[in-house]
Amino acid sequence: MKNTFFLIALLCATLTIGQDKRVPLDTTVTTSNSVLIKGKRIPYNAQTGTQPVYDANGIAKATLFYTYYYRTDVTNREKRPLIMSFNGGPGSASVWMHIAYTGPKILKIDDEGNPIQPYGIKDNPYSILDEADIVFVNPVNTAYSRPIVAPKEKVDKKYFFGINADAKYLADWLNVFVTRNNRWNSPKYIIGESYGGTRVMQLAHELQSNQWMYLNGVIMVSPADYQLLRTQSSEDYAINFPYFTAAAWYHKMLPPALQQKDLLEILPEAEQFSINQLLPALAKGGYIGETEKNTVAEKMAYYSGIKKEVILKHNLEVPNRYFWKELLRETSGKTIGRLDSRYLGIDRRETGTSPDYSPELVSWLHSFTPAINYYIQNVLNFKTDVKYNMFGSVRPWDFSNNNARENLRKVMAQNPYLNVLVQSGYYDGATTYSAAKYTMGKIDPSGKLKNRLSFKGYRSGHMMYLRKEDLEKANDDLREFIKSSSKNIGPAKY
């Protein structure tokens, strides 16, 4: 590999950065490499470093760590799409999609996503880098991104940690990044995973309304919609229910009539039941009749693999976390994963209402943490003693004034070029695939924009790309979405 280094360090003498002077304010390291994608060798540069977040007075409030991959054999970058990538949390580094999904390097894991030793990385033969350039951005307190505070002062948490504040400062940062890298004429996309789904809905509005940056696409991967998620409302319980069917099918806990069918044959049944029967029943609360309550409980048991008696004791309101504990309680006694229910855990006791831990998350941290630390320092050549925050402190997070759904609708209505793609894994029990579909309908209650909203599902969990088969399929779906939404369709009008 041929490496070239370009290092710029603008250090502020009177400031410290997140209480740590080891983090430079404005730095770039560039390395050159290539990757074989779809049988073709793609040369690229990786620009890694930190770029300041400026306030309205031009004062640096933070510095964000990023990695920008751009193909080097491109003659006309104006036609080259740019993907701006975020993860979620809130408080999660942009590591997951970076070295497991869309980037040119991915983890050394088995075909189902489990850790293997020795740890490390390898080329990603399915990366979308053949079709688009990508920048992975780490919000404040994730990875090496840190706030800037003067001596004896505290971090201005309200400036960074909230649905609206987060989108505002990230939009400001992206404006500077796009300007510095001369990408204003490129087709532009934002992609967010988990909380990143809410982030990119709001960010699309902030970019278009206050930065006048118009996008071609918004991509939500396993999106978390906080107008539904963990609200413990009738909608919350009902809309998540089809996930129970998917997880039970995977673990062979459904009745033979369902178990012998393919997953995609039975999920539409569960979806129809959840909307047409379960939701109206839950909406009645204690006024539901005993006959209807028993009929619905029987159907829930049929589609979920857990007992009718347990469901009735919950008054039909079965929390996801109870399901993770209950599904295999009387067979193997193991729990199933929250973010990916293919994973199994072992609790101290089989009794209880929720698992002791999330087996899928500890598995992922097992393989991601050594890989990203090795990759940044040894391949991207960004040298630092600062801790790489897989998860950083961002509490308290301000969830108030959450208009992300409506704001995405507005920018879609105002921008005829803007399309939306949602990708979800059927075995994700945290941000379920059925909730993602529901959110799509709520974004566009008129139905007039639905031809610009598309959904893709996969036989895996929250990070569906950890399964090799879905890594290829999901990248192909992204590639097709980018191609179709970046082509010239004529004037932007209705």
Side-chain angles (χ1 to χ4, degrees):
M1 181 178 66
K2 173 185 169 186
N3 295 324
T4 59
F5 302 94
F6 176 59
L7 183 62
I8 304 171
L10 302 174
L11 295 175
C12 219
T14 59
L15 297 176
T16 58
I17 300 179
Q19 313 296 334
D20 196 332
K21 295 179 182 178
R22 297 170 297 173
V23 181
L25 178 63
D26 202 337
T27 304
T28 302
V29 180
T30 301
T31 57
S32 299
N33 209 329
S34 67
V35 61
L36 193 67
I37 301 174
K38 299 287 186 179
K40 183 177 181 179
R41 181 63 56 181
I42 306 296
Y44 66 89
N45 281 352
Q47 178 180 306
T48 309
T50 53
Q51 178 189 296
V53 172
Y54 296 108
D55 67 12
N57 297 315
I59 305 299
K61 298 276 291 185
T63 187
L64 301 191
F65 178 74
Y66 71 94
T67 303
Y68 171 41
Y69 298 99
Y70 56 96
R71 188 169 169 171
T72 53
D73 61 348
V74 173
T75 56
N76 184 359
R77 204 160 295 279
E78 290 187 358
K79 294 183 178 180
R80 176 90 173 148
L82 173 66
I83 313 294
M84 297 166 276
S85 181
F86 300 89
N87 274 98
S92 171
S94 290
V95 54
W96 316 100
M97 292 194 291
H98 184 174
I99 59 166
Y101 187 12
T102 54
K105 300 288 184 182
I106 52 174
L107 300 171
K108 288 182 180 177
I109 50 180
D110 73 9
D111 287 353
E112 292 298 314
N114 300 297
I116 56 174
Q117 291 182 330
Y119 305 114
I121 55 169
K122 59 186 179 181
D123 283 353
N124 181 3
Y126 312 115
S127 169
I128 58 170
L129 189 57
D130 61 334
E131 187 64 32
D133 298 332
I134 318 166
V135 57
F136 296 92
V137 186
N138 296 278
V140 168
N141 275 352
T142 70
Y144 303 127
S145 300
R146 298 292 187 270
I148 298 174
V149 292
K152 298 182 180 180
E153 291 189 1
K154 295 182 179 180
V155 174
D156 184 0
K157 293 185 176 182
K158 290 184 179 180
Y159 194 90
F160 302 110
F161 304 146
I163 286 176
N164 295 290
D166 173 81
K168 185 179 187 309
Y169 89 81
L170 288 174
D172 289 338
W173 189 94
L174 288 172
N175 187 311
V176 175
F177 177 85
V178 168
T179 300
R180 282 188 177 189
N181 292 279
N182 195 25
R183 299 307 300 263
W184 274 99
N185 287 343
S186 301
K188 288 176 282 294
Y189 298 79
I190 50 177
I191 181 172
E193 179 180 86
S194 196
Y195 174 82
T198 289
R199 171 176 281 144
V200 296
M201 283 194 285
Q202 183 64 23
L203 184 55
H205 177 263
E206 190 67 35
L207 285 170
Q208 185 167 307
S209 300
N210 294 314
Q211 303 295 335
W212 310 285
M213 186 183 295
Y214 286 69
L215 302 170
N216 286 67
V218 172
I219 303 157
M220 293 183 274
V221 179
S222 306
D225 177 0
Y226 289 85
Q227 290 181 264
L228 177 66
L229 184 69
R230 295 195 292 270
T231 58
Q232 296 185 333
S233 62
S234 298
E235 288 176 296
D236 189 13
Y237 288 116
I239 298 306
N240 285 321
F241 183 77
Y243 147 75
F244 287 18
T245 305
W249 182 88
Y250 179 83
H251 290 288
K252 298 181 171 54
M253 295 297 292
L254 292 177
L258 291 177
Q259 198 65 56
Q260 66 188 2
K261 296 180 180 180
D262 183 67
L263 177 65
L264 299 188
E265 288 183 79
I266 63 174
L267 287 183
E269 292 182 39
E271 291 171 24
Q272 289 297 313
F273 165 70
S274 71
I275 291 290
N276 296 329
Q277 291 180 257
L278 180 55
L279 182 56
L282 290 171
K284 294 174 184 177
Y287 289 96
I288 189 173
E290 285 302 309
T291 300
E292 183 183 2
K293 189 174 184 179
N294 275 278
T295 299
V296 171
E298 275 184 27
K299 274 288 188 72
M300 289 180 72
Y302 179 71
Y303 283 117
S304 70
I306 59 176
K307 290 182 177 179
K308 174 185 173 183
E309 292 76 16
V310 169
I311 293 167
L312 287 170
K313 287 177 181 178
H314 279 86
N315 299 316
L316 310 182
E317 297 178 339
V318 182
N320 288 17
R321 63 176 53 256
Y322 184 84
F323 177 76
W324 305 327
K325 183 81 173 183
E326 176 69 18
L327 181 65
L328 304 180
R329 197 193 303 261
E330 295 185 7
T331 52
S332 68
K334 293 184 173 69
T335 62
I336 63 173
R338 178 176 75 98
L339 293 158
D340 190 330
S341 293
R342 297 175 302 152
Y343 290 75
L344 300 176
I346 299 175
D347 281 359
R348 181 180 179 87
R349 297 182 179 89
E350 291 181 13
T351 56
T353 58
S354 63
D356 293 349
Y357 67 103
S358 297
E360 75 295 336
L361 184 56
V362 294
S363 172
W364 297 340
L365 289 168
H366 189 162
S367 50
F368 274 90
T369 310
I372 192 64
N373 279 278
Y374 167 82
Y375 179 53
I376 289 172
Q377 303 243 8
N378 294 279
V379 179
L380 299 180
N381 282 307
F382 186 88
K383 305 293 185 181
T384 180
D385 291 336
V386 176
K387 177 185 176 184
Y388 184 96
N389 285 339
M390 300 291 284
F391 299 102
S393 175
V394 297
R395 307 297 181 193
W397 192 269
D398 184 1
F399 285 97
S400 64
N401 300 314
N402 176 9
N403 296 307
R405 277 185 196 165
E406 171 59 13
N407 285 336
L408 179 58
R409 186 204 65 79
K410 284 182 182 178
V411 296
M412 289 184 73
Q414 295 166 7
N415 178 7
Y417 283 147
L418 181 57
N419 291 268
V420 173
L421 171 65
V422 176
Q423 297 180 300
S424 292
Y426 297 121
Y427 307 131
D428 180 359
T431 59
T432 65
Y433 88 92
S434 45
K437 284 185 171 182
Y438 181 79
T439 294
M440 291 169 66
K442 290 297 184 178
I443 289 169
D444 174 35
S446 73
K448 294 175 183 176
L449 303 173
K450 63 183 177 183
N451 64 320
R452 289 156 55 196
L453 288 153
S454 55
F455 175 86
K456 298 291 183 182
Y458 307 91
R459 295 173 186 252
S460 42
H462 195 71
M463 294 196 284
M464 66 282 175
Y465 43 81
L466 293 179
R467 181 171 175 258
K468 184 179 179 181
E469 182 179 322
D470 290 322
L471 171 67
E472 180 176 9
K473 185 176 185 296
N475 271 295
D476 281 344
D477 289 336
L478 280 180
R479 192 175 282 105
E480 180 56 37
F481 176 73
I482 294 164
K483 285 180 180 178
S484 64
S485 56
S486 62
K487 64 186 178 182
N488 189 344
I489 59 171
K493 66 176 184 178
Y494 293 111

